[in-house]
Amino acid sequence: MNTGIKKHIANYFFQKELSKLKRIKDVCNIDKAKSIAILYNAIDEHTQESVNKLVRFFQEKQKMVKAIGFAPYKNLPHYCFQRLSFDYLTKRDLYWYNKPKINKKITDFIDEEFDILIDLSQNDCFPLKYIAGLSKAKFKVGQFKDNHYNIYDFMLNVEKDIEIDTYIKELIKYLSILNKE
């Protein structure tokens, strides 16, 4: 089926669900956060290792961390393995129009009122955008895009093809100084 039609159908249902979302918004920095959610595109080993380091960084600061990686393949790649803090989605976990199939891990993630949700995806990855948009997280952070104002509370305007490690450093920098007392 035409990719444009799939995208249109997915966005239609997403906007409809997004309009019903009720959540408590609260600007939170890393020091004050107790729970942090991370969404990312598990596209390669380097990205996976960068996210592993970020999760360890937050855990060392005594934060409860939950990460969901989207591997855009039919099967989970060898570098993605289930751990307590990580869950994964593959193309098999999506409907034909790219909406994630609702299951317990997705429902639990969306319903959890994380203090901060960080979306590390740098391209317009619909499955991650869907989860971020419907999440009940109190403070949602993602990369700046004109059509993401209704999804994120704070958007970081960075170069289009920024290296994932540089992007994470910038996010940490801003989330550390944001809303300091």
Side-chain angles (χ1 to χ4, degrees):
M1 182 177 265
N2 184 330
T3 305
I5 293 171
K6 283 183 182 181
K7 200 175 202 178
H8 182 73
I9 291 169
N11 278 319
Y12 170 78
F13 287 114
F14 176 58
Q15 293 303 322
K16 193 173 177 180
E17 290 180 57
L18 196 57
S19 68
K20 298 175 191 172
L21 179 66
K22 303 269 190 271
R23 71 183 177 100
I24 300 166
K25 294 181 185 180
D26 184 24
V27 177
C28 189
N29 65 36
I30 290 173
D31 294 332
K32 291 181 183 176
K34 290 181 177 69
S35 60
I36 298 173
I38 300 171
L39 295 171
Y40 67 102
N41 230 332
I43 194 87
D44 57 34
E45 286 184 68
H46 175 71
T47 301
Q48 183 63 48
E49 186 52 39
S50 297
V51 174
N52 291 345
K53 287 178 189 173
L54 180 61
V55 168
R56 280 193 302 274
F57 169 78
F58 287 136
Q59 288 173 335
E60 287 168 4
K61 290 184 163 290
Q62 308 299 310
K63 312 298 179 193
M64 190 280 289
V65 184
K66 187 66 179 171
I68 291 186
F70 174 65
Y73 314 107
K74 282 193 175 187
N75 297 310
L76 206 55
H78 70 280
Y79 53 85
C80 297
F81 46 92
Q82 301 289 348
R83 287 176 278 177
L84 191 58
S85 298
F86 287 84
D87 276 319
Y88 296 94
L89 295 174
T90 65
K91 286 188 173 187
R92 293 178 190 255
D93 297 308
L94 307 178
Y95 289 109
W96 60 271
Y97 55 95
N98 283 336
K99 174 185 166 191
K101 293 177 182 172
I102 301 302
N103 58 34
K104 184 161 175 41
K105 70 181 170 189
I106 298 298
T107 303
D108 289 349
F109 190 89
I110 287 173
D111 288 341
E112 179 77 31
E113 291 184 9
F114 295 102
D115 293 319
I116 302 173
L117 178 141
I118 300 170
D119 184 353
L120 294 173
S121 61
Q122 297 174 336
N123 55 6
D124 205 6
C125 178
F126 184 79
L128 297 179
K129 183 173 86 170
Y130 176 88
I131 294 169
L134 296 182
S135 170
K136 292 186 175 96
K138 296 173 188 165
F139 187 55
K140 300 179 189 181
V141 179
Q143 189 172 4
F144 175 81
K145 296 226 172 36
D146 286 334
N147 59 346
H148 289 174
Y149 285 107
N150 59 347
I151 299 172
Y152 304 113
D153 304 311
F154 179 78
M155 292 188 284
L156 196 58
N157 194 0
V158 292
E159 299 168 22
K160 185 178 181 202
D161 296 324
I162 190 170
E163 171 67 34
I164 185 74
D165 296 318
T166 306
Y167 183 46
I168 288 172
K169 283 179 189 168
E170 288 295 304
L171 274 168
I172 296 297
K173 179 175 88 175
Y174 284 102
L175 288 176
S176 296
I177 61 175
L178 196 66
N179 205 21
K180 278 266 194 204
E181 290 182 1

